[in-house]
Amino acid sequence: MQTERSSFRFGEFELIPDRQALLHRGEPISLGGRAFDILTLLVRRAGEIVSKAELFAHVWPGYLVHEHNLKVNVGNLRRVLAACDPATDYVATIAGRGYKFVAALDSAKEIHLAPSAGPDGPRLSPPPSAPHLYGREDAIHQIAERMRQNGYVTIVGPGGAGKTSIAVTAAQHCRTAGQPVAFVDLSTLNSAQFVIPAMAAALGISLGIDDPIAGVIALLRAERPILIIDNCEHVIATTAALLERISHAVPDAQIIATSREPLRTRHEQVLHLAKLGFPEPGTATSFEEALQYPAVRLFLAKAGRAEDADLDPAYVQAVAAICARLDGLALAIELAAGTAGGFDADALTDLFRDGFGAMHRGPRDAPLRHQTLEAALDWSYRLLPEHEAVLLELLSVFAGRFSAEDAESIYAAGGIDSMAGRDGLGQLVAKSLVSADVIAGTLRYRLVESTWIYASQRLLGSHHIDVAKRLFAARVLARMQRAEREWSYQSSREWLGRYGEQMDDLRAAIRWAFGPGGDARIGIDLVAAALPLWQELSAFQEMLAAIEQALVSGGDGDLSLRSRARMLMAQAWAMTLASQVHPRTGEVWRESIRCADAARDSDLALQAVCGEAVYLAYSGRPMKALRSMLDFAKSADVDWTKAPGGMRFLAHDEIYIGRLASADSRLQFLQQAWGEAGDEQGLSRFQVDLPVAIDLSSSLLAWLQGRSAASAELADRAVARASSLDHMISLGNAICLAGLPTAFLDGQLARAEDLQRRLAEVARRESVGIYEGTARFFAGAIAAARGHGDGLETMANSIDALWASGWRLRTSLYRSLLAEAWLRAGDCERAARALRPVLEWRDVRQERWSHPELWRVAALIAAQSGKRDVAGRYFRQGFSRSASMGTAAFTRRIEASIAESGIRPD
């Protein structure tokens, strides 16, 4: 348990880190986010020298930031402190070393904080910081009371009322020690179909092909976070249905939603957010009474007049009148206060006499995502020079973050030259209509939800919308094509860090391209270029829908043979890696090969042939897979040493058909040439990181050869690398195909149990059928090995599920393990029934690697049934098969069974 101060007092200041608040004499002081972070670190280490490096790591984690930024923010911090207390120095510069907080700290309350979740815990999106609220104590109390009941709470109110800030503050008020808070931001979504991906992403749930909401429900049950779902109104039907399902499944889940209207579901508890209190117009209100109203206090705080001891009563009355005219809406009050902070009573009255057109300077550190008042945005828009107004409209084509170069790509749609465009972008940032953040050392821009909606509406009615949409789609296409080129040599982590955030723009561009007035040619190219992004994110369902749309649209010759081959190959991979192998998977693989051949693209054809081989092998036809690869290699004169990904799978397939010597030769070559490839190597284009793939195949081979220690070392290395890359398909393969089965077969139940849990988590995130089925099988096998009878049924059910889903490779081995488990449980009849289906399966002869084990278990069943001569014959056949392949591990298992049964081979 860690102990930390809840607040720090120095002079007449109070710093409250959890509330992101700095108070002077009890009233909030406006301080930028970076300056606040700097102050917090310095105060927590008061009296110590805090180096510049430590400040950079704390304030700009993971970013490359110029030292000038630190100096500017420290300077701003000093100016704010000096404005309130000019006689005291609080922050001292230690030349060449850093900074030190030199004021004395008073005693402060302490709270106990539970340790944060470890690296294996859920990766939840945290909520934004909330500003100090005025007059919202009753709302916070009501939310807290309703969260103690079943059902979720919806905060309902107009745009600009402060719903998000109240939701975040209420969650922080209600949370217990160590309880996480997750934040789902729906503000960037422009279609209801993306609500589930947004919710899943915020909770670290897979975007795979199956139902991620089931994962959300499981996480809410297990981790018990407080869940905030923000800005539901534009996707209300979908959000309502999802929340109803979640609340039905987890009645006591703590969920807060915000919306402009109720979701109208059975489990909803609605809190209609009242406007901030203000004096009624026309009523006699004294100076002291006016100061009690939250709207008036908010205006004074945002105008920097909250601490004025000699406020003119006429000024306060003018403020009260303005708050009444603005109907107590927090956003409009903040905008008005930012504009009129320095005016006296008469000037304040005159400023807004004819309306609020002069209201333009909102608070610089306000979260613009909450600025959803069309009127307020319209006031700001009308103040813009022509080129800035047009630019704001044009920037609404970007659904997510964009760079200065992205913005420049659409200037031409509005007839804006580069110099005017760059100046306009800077002015829009300064006027808080565009937000700017440094991400990974790069300045990125973004229109927040309310501004985006407003600007989109303006663009919709403009004459330059068609050109703007076309230029935007062309820009997104250029990004995706660059991403596609870099995918071949960048690591998965590095590549996704750069391009993972492009999904919103990609969706918007594809929607335009295939919509009325769009350009299907651009849409087809977008889908083709975006295939790696969907595959890296395991967003197979979305990818399949986009591919289908592109293939239909490309029927008139817009789709080249090469593009068609690539799309078909991606479609086939998605079908192969589904929870259930799609019945058309083989057909799609063959069509992709035909298109690649017709396009005379030998590299693409090789990828398709190897992909089809994966499908054939794991559907139980490894010999057919091997013949397909070798026939293609012969016809295309393939040099496997120059196609390491294909060569690795060729070796892996050879293991299954019993050609261990050939597989060993190939894997030794691959280990020397590629086994130590660095993180920069990236994927092999066969879905699995190449060094991971080499190690997992080598691990399986080493185990079969009787080298258990080497096998475990190789498997651990594959798992560790896949984990470090955070590439789930690589990790799933490493555990599923090597680490877990070999650990169990060696009797290392604790190690097997750990790997089984990790595989189950990968299955939850990725929805790949073979991972889920294998994780369930070994959960049952481990339970059965520990004497738990229900493990046997789990084993049997998982085998049936794998078979029915099309994942048939290895089920012969699993059936032999199940049959032997039944024998140990004393049920010879059930053991025979478990083994019989695989012995009768026509294609079992293709999977020769498992034959010695099948004969061994069949011999044990025969011996248990009193057929000793049959058992001896089966033992001999197992010996013969094992010796011919060189599977020393299976030979040892046969020898142990002979010794246990006392039956000698005849």
Side-chain angles (χ1 to χ4, degrees), residues 786-811:
R786 288 178 170 158
H788 304 298
D790 56 353
L792 291 161
E793 292 298 331
T794 300
M795 294 171 73
N797 292 337
S798 63
I799 292 171
D800 291 342
L802 282 166
W803 186 272
S805 299
W807 297 97
R808 298 183 177 180
L809 190 74
R810 292 174 173 246
T811 54

Side-chain angles (χ1 to χ4, degrees), residues 298-315:
L298 173 62
F299 187 106
L300 295 175
K302 296 302 179 181
R305 306 290 297 274
E307 293 300 319
D308 287 4
D310 54 348
L311 274 175
D312 180 1
Y315 180 86

Side-chain angles (χ1 to χ4, degrees), residues 176-234:
T176 59
Q179 183 180 19
V181 178
F183 188 81
V184 181
D185 182 9
L186 303 182
S187 65
T188 62
L189 305 187
N190 46 33
S191 174
Q193 65 180 309
F194 303 128
V195 172
I196 292 177
M199 190 177 298
L203 292 169
I205 306 298
S206 170
L207 295 178
I209 201 167
D210 273 353
D211 179 14
I213 293 303
V216 171
I217 290 170
L219 186 141
L220 290 174
R221 284 174 175 156
E223 303 297 336
R224 316 301 299 177
I226 296 177
L227 177 62
I228 300 172
I229 304 178
D230 196 38
N231 287 296
C232 301
E233 55 271 1
H234 57 304

Side-chain angles (χ1 to χ4, degrees), residues 354-375:
D354 298 321
F356 291 90
M359 193 165 69
H360 62 281
R361 283 167 43 200
R364 295 183 184 278
D365 60 347
L368 293 181
R369 182 173 55 79
H370 297 157
Q371 298 188 14
T372 55
L373 290 173
E374 183 177 356

Side-chain angles (χ1 to χ4, degrees), residues 354-437:
D354 298 321
F356 291 90
M359 193 165 69
H360 62 281
R361 283 167 43 200
R364 295 183 184 278
D365 60 347
L368 293 181
R369 182 173 55 79
H370 297 157
Q371 298 188 14
T372 55
L373 290 173
E374 183 177 356
L377 288 165
D378 193 43
W379 296 327
S380 298
Y381 177 84
R382 290 177 180 177
L383 291 171
L384 296 175
E386 177 66 18
H387 75 284
E388 291 181 21
V390 171
L391 179 57
L392 182 63
E393 296 173 9
L394 296 178
L395 292 176
S396 70
V397 298
F398 295 106
R401 289 188 173 90
F402 56 91
S403 65
E405 291 76 16
D406 293 329
E408 190 164 356
S409 71
I410 61 169
Y411 290 164
I416 303 172
D417 63 49
S418 296
M419 183 172 293
R422 287 191 290 269
D423 175 71
L425 181 59
Q427 289 299 316
L428 291 175
V429 172
K431 295 171 183 177
S432 297
L433 290 169
V434 174
S435 63
D437 297 289

Side-chain angles (χ1 to χ4, degrees), residues 136-155:
R136 295 304 189 190
E137 295 82 1
D138 184 58
I140 300 298
H141 175 73
Q142 290 186 55
I143 294 169
E145 286 294 320
R146 297 180 190 194
M147 287 181 67
R148 296 188 183 100
Q149 307 169 26
N150 286 352
Y152 64 95
V153 179
T154 303
I155 304 174

Side-chain angles (χ1 to χ4, degrees), residues 621-666:
R621 293 165 287 177
M623 285 188 176
K624 187 174 180 180
L626 185 69
R627 284 196 299 270
S628 173
M629 293 179 70
L630 294 179
D631 288 347
F632 177 82
K634 183 177 180 180
S635 64
D637 195 23
V638 173
D639 181 355
W640 290 114
T641 64
K642 296 180 181 178
M647 185 180 185
R648 195 286 310 181
F649 184 74
L650 188 63
H652 197 82
D653 198 56
E654 286 178 325
I655 293 173
Y656 290 131
I657 65 173
R659 298 183 183 178
L660 270 60
S662 178
D664 197 359
S665 176
R666 296 185 197 277

